[in-house]
Amino acid sequence: MPALLDEAERIAREFEYPADQVQRGVDEYINQSNEGLAKENTTLSQIPTFVTAVPNGTEKGLYLAVDLGGTNFRVCSVQLHGDTTFNLTQSKIMIPRELMASGTSKDLFLFLARQIEAFLRIHHNEHFEAHLRRPGDATNKENMFDLGFTFSFPVRQLGINSGTLIRWTKGFNIPDAVGHDVCALLQSAIDELYLPVRVAALVNDTVGTLMARSYTSPGETGTFLGAIFGTGTNGAYVEKLDKITKLQTMEGAHYDTSTGEMVINAEWGSFDNHLSVLPSTVFDRELDADSNNPGVQMFEKRVSGMFLGEILRRALLAMHQDPALGLFKPSKTSKVICPENSGLYRQWGLDTSLLSLVEADKSPHMAEMKTAMYDHLKIENLSDVECKAVKILVHAIGKRAARLSAVPLAAILIHSGKLQTENMVDVGVDGSLVEFYPNFDGYIREALRSVSKVGEAGEKKVRIGISKDGSGVGAALIALVASKDETLKSASEK
Ligand code: ADP
Ligand code: MG
């Protein structure tokens, strides 16, 4: 079936993302990011997070973190040892359906506060009892916990521990919370139960990734950039305050200016939504047209775990439906079986983890890949040639995603000037794609080297490390930074 491999190679070439295009992407990213720092409602949101310092690994203490973002509510406590290590204790609770959609915000937040209470009673009873003896006593500081609140819904943030809910997503619908400060809502519920807890910070998971890496990375250097390549993709980095010019026009914004810096949440999934520089194949265009949000998150739709499987599925299906190719169709040389209920025929029917399994199998007869094709798509008895065709497409789609991932990294590094001035720049990454897709970081590095203002010398200065658990240890670290924020302390003591 040489025609099959020729066609696979032809499609693969459509996914090539050569160095000159990487360069154009980087130049455009720098433009769009500068615009985002100056104005509201731009393609790159460049959201100020009000986090004005990153940890260096010497931080100590016991902090709480909670995470509300989907079906579960997670409560954890993090003991920071001050030597880049920590212990984390956690519990997870399913949120009752009726609280997600039909009750009042008070019902929901009291439920959350009760979970925090139960957690403290089980895991930190000493603090708990000590505080209960003197309820409501603001001077009882030693037994107060600072808490980082990861809240994964759209909020308009005005300070490190305040932000108003713009709208609910993901099946939540409690209208009376919209427009209210979610930190204040959680704090009142906590106060109603007399818990020794102060909501110190509102946390975005990408910022948590940056903070977690900054604490755990070797040496005392702070991390400059945190990036997620999981279900979605996004990044956060440390920006100079004077470059965030839109802060001056944000009414009600309050923050610590002493470090001269602030972490920016780039929201880079929406980079180049108008497709001025992003590559597009027919499969990208069809995926977008059939999605529930056409025209937005265009960068994310070419890069992240939620979408790569669907791109591959569309490419495989197109080849399968071409009678001249015979992919997944039985013939003299192939006894392949592709049943009607295969995920191949269903939108989102192919999970991105299959790409990692296929890419990883370098053996001559690809036995592991064949098992994976059965487990994921119910396709049996693939011939070696069919396997090769699939591998060619997987490799092309995965490599394009990794090279695209280099675009925001290179742009932010160049914009910061860090590659000129420092010996080493630390980058923390999280997400199944970068963790499990073979050589994802290798392809990122190759693309970085090809960018003129990065080059070999610049790429060598970039240290990339995995950063796990932004909403646990990362959120705890943001609570710590917030508790040291002088402007907030004086505000709460008034
Ligand atoms: P989240 O981003 O939701 O925190 P993950 O980082 O685990 O969670 O990312 C989940 C996404 O990664 C899903 O889209 C899934 O299809 C994809 N994925 C899961 N396992 C792998 C893998 N081994 N290789 C590549 N992608 C994977
Ligand atoms: Mg994650």
Side-chain angles (χ1 to χ4, degrees):
M1 278 192 280
L4 180 58
L5 293 186
D6 287 347
E7 178 62 4
E9 297 281 6
R10 189 194 65 77
I11 296 176
R13 278 194 296 278
E14 294 183 19
F15 285 94
E16 274 174 18
Y17 187 54
D20 59 317
Q21 283 195 47
V22 176
Q23 184 68 52
R24 277 181 57 212
V26 169
D27 295 341
E28 181 59 19
Y29 191 98
I30 293 175
N31 289 339
Q32 292 183 21
S33 67
N34 282 328
E35 195 182 33
L37 291 173
K39 287 188 287 189
E40 304 269 4
N41 307 316
T42 52
T43 30
L44 275 178
S45 304
Q46 301 280 73
I47 300 170
T49 64
F50 301 94
V51 175
T52 56
V54 298
N56 64 13
T58 64
E59 292 73 13
K60 281 188 186 167
L62 184 60
Y63 291 85
L64 285 182
V66 297
D67 182 356
L68 179 71
T71 41
N72 293 303
F73 180 61
R74 187 164 80 129
V75 185
C76 50
S77 62
V78 181
Q79 179 77 56
L80 302 165
H81 302 311
D83 59 358
T84 79
T85 69
F86 62 90
N87 278 354
L88 187 144
T89 310
Q90 66 164 333
S91 70
K92 246 186 198 177
I93 312 100
M94 261 246 304
I95 299 162
R97 292 226 125 254
E98 63 273 17
L99 288 179
M100 290 167 67
S102 51
T104 63
S105 62
K106 191 163 178 192
D107 297 333
L108 174 68
F109 283 91
L110 264 178
F111 172 81
L112 304 185
R114 284 200 194 95
Q115 306 314 313
I116 298 171
E117 175 172 26
F119 179 88
L120 289 177
R121 279 189 191 280
I122 296 168
H123 298 290
H124 300 282
N125 200 39
E126 285 167 29
H127 283 73
F128 193 74
E129 294 290 332
H131 185 79
L132 280 188
R133 271 178 240 123
R134 292 186 282 169
D137 180 354
T139 59
N140 187 15
K141 283 258 165 63
E142 323 89 273
N143 292 303
M144 283 294 268
F145 283 98
D146 284 308
L147 175 146
F149 182 16
T150 302
F151 183 76
S152 306
F153 300 93
V155 288
R156 187 169 314 290
Q157 202 164 350
L158 287 170
I160 198 162
N161 67 346
S162 65
T164 57
L165 177 63
I166 296 169
R167 63 176 178 281
W168 290 104
T169 57
K170 297 181 270 193
F172 279 76
N173 181 25
I174 307 157
D176 77 320
V178 175
H180 286 89
D181 180 352
V182 294
C183 289
L185 288 172
L186 181 59
Q187 188 69 61
S188 349
I190 285 170
D191 291 346
E192 204 153 307
L193 304 183
Y194 294 110
L195 306 184
V197 176
R198 192 176 72 100
V199 181
L202 187 58
V203 176
N204 167 281
D205 63 345
T206 309
V207 184
T209 296
L210 168 66
M211 300 295 274
R213 171 66 190 176
S214 198
Y215 177 79
T216 55
S217 68
E220 287 194 10
T221 344
T223 298
F224 168 63
L225 199 161
I228 292 179
F229 302 100
T231 305
T233 181
N234 187 20
Y237 72 101
V238 182
E239 182 59 282
K240 296 261 172 292
L241 268 182
D242 57 13
K243 286 195 186 169
I244 317 171
T245 50
K246 68 180 173 187
L247 267 178
Q248 287 142 25
T249 57
M250 276 178 77
E251 248 173 77
H254 47 95
Y255 50 93
D256 178 11
T257 54
S258 64
T259 62
E261 295 179 334
M262 186 182 286
V263 175
I264 289 287
N265 165 14
E267 290 295 339
W268 71 40
S270 64
F271 167 56
D272 200 34
N273 276 344
H274 47 290
L275 299 182
S276 64
V277 294
L278 286 177
S280 273
T281 67
V282 60
F283 310 111
D284 296 303
R285 288 189 287 274
E286 288 174 2
L287 178 152
D288 180 53
D290 292 346
S291 70
N292 59 14
N293 56 353
V296 301
Q297 297 298 96
M298 297 305 252
F299 181 73
E300 185 164 84
K301 282 175 178 158
R302 286 151 177 76
V303 169
S304 77
M306 175 151 184
F307 302 101
L308 297 188
E310 178 64 8
I311 297 175
L312 174 66
R313 187 191 69 84
R314 285 171 182 271
L316 291 175
L317 187 60
M319 290 179 71
H320 174 59
Q321 287 169 342
D322 183 339
L325 301 173
L327 180 68
F328 308 146
K329 285 179 185 152
S331 70
K332 263 180 262 164
T333 49
S334 169
K335 293 196 190 62
V336 69
I337 303 168
C338 181
E340 271 172 37
N341 65 352
S342 168
L344 180 70
Y345 302 114
R346 216 176 48 242
Q347 191 185 18
W348 312 116
L350 195 164
D351 191 90
T352 300
S353 54
L354 178 63
L355 278 78
S356 293
L357 293 166
V358 168
E359 177 76 9
D361 188 349
K362 308 279 186 206
S363 68
H365 297 294
M366 300 159 279
E368 283 177 15
M369 163 172 177
K370 287 172 184 168
T371 307
M373 289 293 285
Y374 179 70
D375 293 344
H376 283 249
L377 295 175
K378 302 198 177 81
I379 300 178
E380 279 181 85
N381 303 336
L382 278 127
S383 67
D384 287 1
V385 180
E386 285 173 306
C387 283
K388 271 212 123 156
V390 175
K391 280 184 81 87
I392 289 167
L393 293 184
V394 164
H395 183 74
I397 293 165
K399 187 169 177 180
R400 187 187 70 165
R403 291 177 64 82
L404 277 165
S405 302
V407 167
L409 301 184
I412 293 170
L413 288 165
I414 293 168
H415 163 89
S416 72
K418 289 243 172 226
L419 295 174
Q420 270 78 53
T421 56
E422 297 197 5
N423 292 328
M424 194 262 302
V425 187
D426 197 67
V427 173
V429 294
D430 186 18
S432 288
L433 195 58
V434 60
E435 204 176 340
F436 301 119
Y437 189 88
N439 198 37
F440 200 80
D441 59 335
Y443 297 127
I444 290 181
R445 287 188 173 282
E446 194 180 87
L448 283 178
R449 284 194 293 274
S450 75
V451 174
S452 64
K453 286 184 182 157
V454 180
E456 299 241 345
E459 182 263 319
K460 277 206 191 77
K461 290 185 190 167
V462 181
R463 183 173 71 184
I464 300 177
I466 291 278
S467 165
K468 308 243 11 130
D469 205 13
S471 70
V473 67
L477 285 156
I478 296 174
L480 178 148
V481 169
S483 71
K484 307 256 184 283
D485 182 334
E486 294 302 320
T487 57
L488 282 178
K489 256 190 216 148
S490 52
S492 67
E493 275 159 16
K494 267 174 209 158

